[in-house]
Amino acid sequence: MKKEDDNLKIKKPIDQTILYGYDKYFDSFIKLYNKNKLPFVNLLSGPKGLGKSTFLYHFINYLLSKNEKFTYSINNKSINPENKSFQLLLNNSHPNFFSLEKKENEKFISIEVVRNLLFFLNKTSFYKNFKIVLIKDVEYLNANSANALLKTLEEPHRNVFFFLVYDNLSFIPTTIKSRCVEHKIFFNFEKKKEIFSNLTGQYNVIDVEETYLQNLYY
């Protein structure tokens, strides 16, 4: 597998402005939200690498950009880079958004990070709007951080949406899982090939070996 530009770097989920393959899930979330039935605590589960975090960043941009310029494009499933909320999220400075994940140099999500989340939840939201919390790598919660988070999930704050991302090949405490509405993400082999083809086209990847396509089965 070769790239026309060998210096091209793969974008992180927060940087991905185009979403592939998630139309069914995206439309389902929109319907729930528009009917005021979107759960306040959502758990997205599935094998690592399916794009769950990318999907959530897109849905979060849909929510945050509704009353802004350069709103989210539902038809194209794309984020406008000029959107204010998108730029604030890139700079980690959106007043109504909090992201929690494992740091690269740490083995687990520390309780200090969860305490920062609690501080965020106790602050008044910008324009008295809803708040959004994205928790990635839920499987890396240790006993202390899981217990601290559990207390928050048991008594969710008003107008706060939680989105948790979970690699279902790993383990998370049943106490955490039981407080969430689980959305299981699954793609069949053909859908994976379609998504992979779109991504390789986006990154100008050429000469894709058949081995890579066959590995998508797993």
Side-chain angles (χ1 to χ4, degrees):
M1 184 166 61
K2 301 178 181 178
K3 291 185 290 186
E4 291 183 355
D5 181 1
D6 290 335
N7 295 320
L8 189 64
K9 294 182 179 180
I10 301 298
K11 296 180 180 179
K12 296 180 179 179
I14 193 172
D15 298 314
Q16 294 280 0
T17 57
I18 303 176
L19 180 69
Y20 300 114
Y22 272 85
D23 296 55
K24 178 183 69 174
Y25 297 105
F26 204 105
D27 294 342
S28 175
F29 270 50
I30 288 178
K31 289 179 181 178
L32 288 172
Y33 177 76
N34 289 337
K35 293 180 179 180
N36 294 318
K37 293 183 178 180
L38 181 67
F40 287 108
V41 184
N42 301 271
L43 175 68
L44 266 70
S45 65
K48 196 173 186 65
L50 287 186
K52 300 184 293 296
S53 294
T54 300
F55 162 65
L56 285 176
Y57 275 117
H58 275 252
F59 184 67
I60 288 168
N61 183 261
Y62 163 79
L63 296 177
L64 294 177
S65 70
K66 288 177 70 69
N67 297 318
E68 299 176 341
K69 293 182 180 179
F70 310 113
T71 59
Y72 186 82
S73 174
I74 298 176
N75 293 332
N76 298 325
K77 298 298 185 294
S78 63
I79 297 173
N80 191 316
E82 300 297 318
N83 174 251
K84 180 180 179 181
S85 283
F86 174 70
Q87 295 175 354
L88 289 174
L89 260 64
L90 286 180
N91 295 323
N92 194 29
S93 58
H94 199 293
N96 289 1
F97 175 80
F98 187 93
S99 177
L100 188 160
E101 61 185 303
K102 183 181 74 69
K103 296 180 180 179
E104 290 185 3
N105 60 339
E106 295 184 355
K107 189 175 181 179
F108 298 104
I109 296 175
S110 69
I111 190 172
E112 294 300 325
V113 179
V114 179
R115 286 172 178 165
N116 291 337
L117 166 61
L118 300 180
F119 178 75
F120 164 79
L121 294 175
N122 288 326
K123 292 193 300 184
T124 303
S125 60
F126 192 60
Y127 290 142
K128 296 183 179 180
N129 204 345
F130 55 79
K131 292 182 179 181
I132 297 174
V133 177
L134 175 60
I135 305 177
K136 294 180 282 185
D137 306 319
V138 178
E139 61 271 18
Y140 289 105
L141 290 166
N142 60 24
N144 291 331
S145 56
N147 287 334
L149 178 62
L150 180 62
K151 294 178 181 179
T152 302
L153 299 181
E154 286 177 336
E155 300 177 1
H157 291 62
R158 187 178 181 182
N159 292 332
V160 178
F161 289 104
F162 287 86
F163 297 101
L164 288 70
V165 180
Y166 162 49
D167 174 7
N168 66 358
L169 300 180
S170 303
F171 169 80
I172 61 172
T174 54
T175 50
I176 295 289
K177 195 172 184 180
S178 65
R179 300 301 188 277
C180 309
V181 174
E182 185 176 6
H183 308 272
K184 297 181 179 180
I185 306 300
F186 171 80
F187 295 124
N188 60 29
F189 181 49
E190 292 303 319
K191 175 59 73 172
K192 288 180 181 178
K193 287 177 62 176
E194 176 189 323
I195 296 172
F196 185 73
S197 176
N198 286 325
L199 287 171
T200 53
Q202 178 183 341
Y203 286 100
N204 297 319
V205 176
I206 57 175
D207 297 334
V208 178
E209 298 178 10
E210 184 64 24
T211 305
Y212 288 98
L213 297 177
Q214 293 301 324
N215 285 342
L216 292 177
Y217 178 81
Y218 300 101

